Amino acid sequence: QVQLVESGGGLVQPGGSLRLSCAASGSIFSIETMGWYRQTPQWQRELVASISTDGNTNYADSVKGRFAISRDNAKNTVYLQMDGLKPEDTAVYYCKVLHRVVSGRAYQYWGQGTQVTVSS
């Protein structure tokens, strides 16, 4: 089992910045792709950004140039630096990791979610 603990959400004014963190712990063999998703009451959960084991990144068009995803493999932690925040970025942000076990099977795990609110 893998547990994910997220932190860093909060209330910020438009144009401000926040940094989200998500740390994985437990019986970890190999953490592969790590990513951040967000969800609002009006919209389905959507991918914000993802990062592979070797650092290849993928971003939603709406956040390109404003958000940056990174990871620390030694700490099994993924980060999301969010700059130039807009009211439409308001959502619950979830991290997701793909954990591959010794047998070769892979399992997805989700964090508990952290609220990000962008408002003046």
Side-chain angles (χ1 to χ4, degrees):
Q1 285 285 347
V2 174
Q3 295 79 43
L4 301 178
V5 177
E6 301 174 13
S7 61
L11 173 64
V12 64
Q13 292 186 342
S17 298
L18 284 174
R19 189 190 194 213
L20 306 183
S21 299
C22 174
S25 63
S27 301
I28 294 174
F29 178 70
S30 178
I31 298 290
E32 297 188 347
T33 302
M34 308 180 85
W36 289 95
Y37 289 72
R38 64 187 180 187
Q39 186 169 18
T40 65
Q42 296 79 25
W43 299 99
Q44 290 183 331
R45 195 171 295 188
E46 64 172 356
L47 173 69
V48 176
S50 64
I51 184 167
S52 66
T53 306
D54 57 4
N56 289 322
T57 58
N58 180 46
Y59 294 94
D61 288 342
S62 59
V63 306
K64 284 180 180 176
R66 300 188 297 122
F67 291 10
I69 189 170
S70 61
R71 63 189 288 170
D72 184 333
N73 291 330
K75 296 181 179 180
N76 292 315
T77 299
V78 61
Y79 306 96
L80 186 67
Q81 178 66 42
M82 303 185 293
D83 299 321
L85 282 161
K86 304 175 180 180
E88 52 263 43
D89 295 317
T90 296
V92 178
Y93 285 70
Y94 297 89
C95 69
K96 187 183 82 171
V97 303
L98 186 68
H99 177 234
R100 193 169 299 279
V101 298
V102 175
S103 67
R105 291 192 66 178
Y107 299 87
Q108 291 183 145
Y109 292 90
W110 289 90
Q112 80 280 6
T114 186
Q115 177 70 46
V116 171
T117 303
V118 185
S119 175
S120 56

